[in-house]
Amino acid sequence: MSFFSNVELAPPDAVFHVTTAYNNDTSPDKCNLGVGAYRTDEGNPWVLPVVRSVETALAADETLNHEYLSIDGLKSYSDAASRLLLGSGSRAILESRACGVQSISGTGALRLAAEFLRRFYPQGKTVYISDPTWPNHRQIFSHAGHTDIRTYPYFHPGTFGLNFKGMMDTLSSADDGSIVVLHMCAHNPTGVDPTLDQWKQICQLVKAKKHFPIFDCAYQGFVTGDADVDAQSVHLFVENDIEFMAAQSFSKNFGLYNERAGNLTTVCATPDAAVAVRSQVKKIVRAMYSNPPNHGARIVSTVLNNKAYDAEWRANLKTMTDRILFMREQLYSKLQQLKTPGTWKHIEQQKGMFTYTGLSAQQVDYMQEVYHIYMLRSGRINMCGLTQRNLDHVAKAIDDAVKKFSSPKMSGRL
């Protein structure tokens, strides 16, 4: 008899399960549209040229060592990360009201925020996450001890756009001081973002209701190719003197997936509050993982604090974004040529890495079984998984699946 005989087998993570199934498939036609990572037009991972250059320089620098970082991480990195998010001329930075703490990627930043708020924000009894959202959001807050986790409407299946009225109505009726998780840009999984005017209204509602916002900033730069433009929603909250936390990740926009380079930026009302928040977040870090890793943070710090490297990174970022936009245009065009039932304009209109196609679970299963195309059963696809080589294959599979099985999600658009 084992001490652990009462432990039940946990269900597999949906995203990683798709990748495992794809890896086990021996078909030459197989295609993985589920993985949440950038791929080149050859279907390969891409080490950004600027990252390659910096890694080479760091490897040759004999002044560097492998000593522990401080509890809150590499200061040159966290300061640069906060500047990238808030803008170098942000009042929050100039007035010393912002603090950055290095984290174990964006997931770790969210966990730090969740842990901190459970301890020091007792009035935030309810956490609101979008419907749908990244599945890990609920787990992160639940594991941090938050027990009342609710959703606000976000995706409108009839328009494949934002259910703005539903979102605003729910957040308006929520208890004052609720915690609200917002996706800064390139919403995962839907690819649907509020317009700037809608963000202004969200900002005013949050301020009026005294809600506490947490921004998930996993895809800065992946919408427009301009990291500064993609952060406009966050800038609005600073301009309106709203305190918030923001979980940053450099997995996507630097391609540093396995380096776990993240940052928790907190904007406070006063400099004293920022100092106190940093001290308490550090206590959480110390008990959780003591201090963060160096390599990814050192790369990002070197790039963002060097004008030449920074310019090269922004060009690399534009390369990734341009390919995503091109594949959106191409897939939409192919479905138009095939006269696939439904209006597929949302493929072009949605933003960032992911598209919420509207395909049903039945259609997704059929495409996997017949065409060896792998994606989440929600119908979310990673546009980076599309290449000029597999585009016709994917478009034909979607066309066949839609014609063979009518989708309730598509019924209003046929």
Side-chain angles (χ1 to χ4, degrees):
M1 177 68 72
S2 168
F3 283 110
F4 307 112
S5 58
N6 64 331
V7 178
E8 297 180 359
L9 185 67
D13 180 89
V15 175
F16 287 94
H17 182 66
V18 167
T19 299
T20 299
Y22 167 80
N23 289 337
N24 292 335
D25 191 333
T26 58
S27 171
D29 297 323
K30 69 179 182 178
C31 175
N32 187 0
L33 303 182
V35 63
Y38 180 79
R39 293 292 182 264
T40 66
D41 195 52
E42 292 72 39
N44 297 322
W46 191 43
V47 178
L48 274 60
V50 69
V51 168
R52 190 76 81 185
S53 297
V54 169
E55 285 187 307
T56 301
L58 293 177
D61 187 347
E62 295 187 1
T63 67
L64 298 178
N65 55 51
H66 297 285
E67 291 295 297
Y68 290 122
L69 295 182
S70 63
I71 295 172
D72 52 354
L74 188 67
K75 189 174 188 303
S76 63
Y77 162 79
S78 55
D79 286 351
S82 294
R83 283 198 307 272
L84 179 68
L85 178 68
L86 304 177
S88 58
S90 170
R91 285 194 298 112
I93 291 176
L94 297 176
E95 297 168 6
S96 301
R97 295 187 290 105
C99 69
V101 174
Q102 185 181 337
S103 62
I104 309 296
S105 202
T107 305
L110 285 165
R111 181 60 184 265
L112 289 177
E115 293 279 353
F116 176 86
L117 292 175
R118 183 177 62 80
R119 290 166 170 77
F120 299 102
Y121 187 65
Q123 60 268 48
K125 294 182 174 18
T126 306
V127 178
Y128 280 89
I129 57 178
S130 65
D131 180 19
T133 193
W134 182 46
N136 222 13
H137 278 154
R138 183 177 290 276
Q139 289 190 112
I140 288 168
F141 282 89
S142 176
H143 286 199
H146 295 268
T147 57
D148 188 1
I149 303 172
R150 307 182 191 183
T151 61
Y152 57 86
Y154 193 85
F155 183 73
H156 195 302
T159 64
F160 282 74
L162 178 64
N163 183 355
F164 185 62
K165 183 179 186 303
M167 176 184 182
M168 295 292 282
D169 286 349
T170 298
L171 296 183
S172 293
S173 62
D175 289 343
D176 288 6
S178 294
I179 298 167
V180 181
V181 180
L182 300 166
H183 298 235
M184 181 181 78
C185 67
H187 184 275
N188 179 9
T190 69
V192 174
D193 287 347
T195 64
L196 186 58
D197 182 65
Q198 288 171 333
W199 270 119
K200 291 176 181 178
Q201 295 178 61
I202 294 168
C203 181
Q204 291 305 315
L205 185 154
V206 166
K207 186 172 185 177
K209 293 287 293 182
K210 297 181 174 59
H211 292 330
F212 188 89
I214 299 178
F215 285 95
D216 188 337
C217 313
Y219 303 95
Q220 186 174 358
F222 261 67
V223 173
T224 64
D226 186 323
D228 300 323
V229 172
D230 282 4
Q232 284 182 319
S233 56
V234 170
H235 297 171
L236 282 173
F237 281 68
V238 177
E239 292 163 8
N240 281 274
D241 298 316
I242 298 173
E243 293 183 297
F244 62 84
M245 286 180 155
Q248 297 172 260
S249 168
F250 293 98
S251 294
K252 307 300 191 298
N253 55 17
F254 267 76
L256 296 172
Y257 301 96
N258 66 15
E259 300 298 345
R260 315 311 292 148
N263 191 61
L264 177 64
T265 292
T266 305
V267 171
C268 303
T270 67
D272 287 346
V275 172
V277 168
R278 179 189 294 278
S279 71
Q280 292 294 344
V281 173
K282 286 172 65 176
K283 283 191 67 176
I284 296 170
V285 169
R286 178 61 171 155
M288 190 181 292
Y289 54 86
S290 194
N291 45 41
N294 171 72
H295 187 64
R298 183 76 67 184
I299 293 169
V300 175
S301 174
T302 302
V303 171
L304 295 182
N305 288 299
N306 179 290
K307 287 185 178 180
Y309 282 145
D310 181 75
E312 185 180 355
W313 168 66
R314 290 174 186 271
N316 292 168
L317 184 59
K318 189 70 164 57
T319 295
M320 292 189 286
T321 306
D322 285 349
R323 194 180 105 67
I324 293 171
L325 292 172
F326 178 70
M327 296 319 300
R328 287 188 178 279
E329 295 168 0
Q330 290 297 297
L331 180 57
Y332 172 68
S333 177
K334 292 291 183 183
L335 294 175
Q336 290 294 98
Q337 292 171 22
L338 292 168
K339 301 188 185 309
T340 305
T343 301
W344 295 91
K345 193 67 178 172
H346 60 280
I347 291 175
E348 285 191 315
Q349 293 170 338
Q350 291 174 8
K351 312 291 185 184
M353 183 179 285
F354 301 115
T355 289
Y356 223 45
T357 60
L359 294 168
S360 68
Q362 184 182 38
Q363 291 165 340
V364 169
D365 292 343
Y366 176 75
M367 290 172 63
Q368 179 173 321
E369 179 182 352
V370 176
Y371 291 92
H372 304 273
I373 295 172
Y374 293 81
M375 67 182 79
L376 298 185
R377 297 187 83 232
S378 64
R380 187 201 83 170
I381 64 173
N382 177 5
M383 298 307 297
C384 307
L386 290 172
T387 68
Q388 294 185 73
R389 183 184 63 81
N390 66 27
L391 183 63
D392 286 336
H393 179 63
V394 172
K396 178 184 175 184
I398 293 174
D399 181 70
D400 184 19
V402 170
K403 289 175 179 175
K404 192 174 188 66
F405 307 101
S406 62
S407 168
K409 294 181 184 178
M410 300 300 298
S411 60
R413 301 175 66 82
L414 298 178

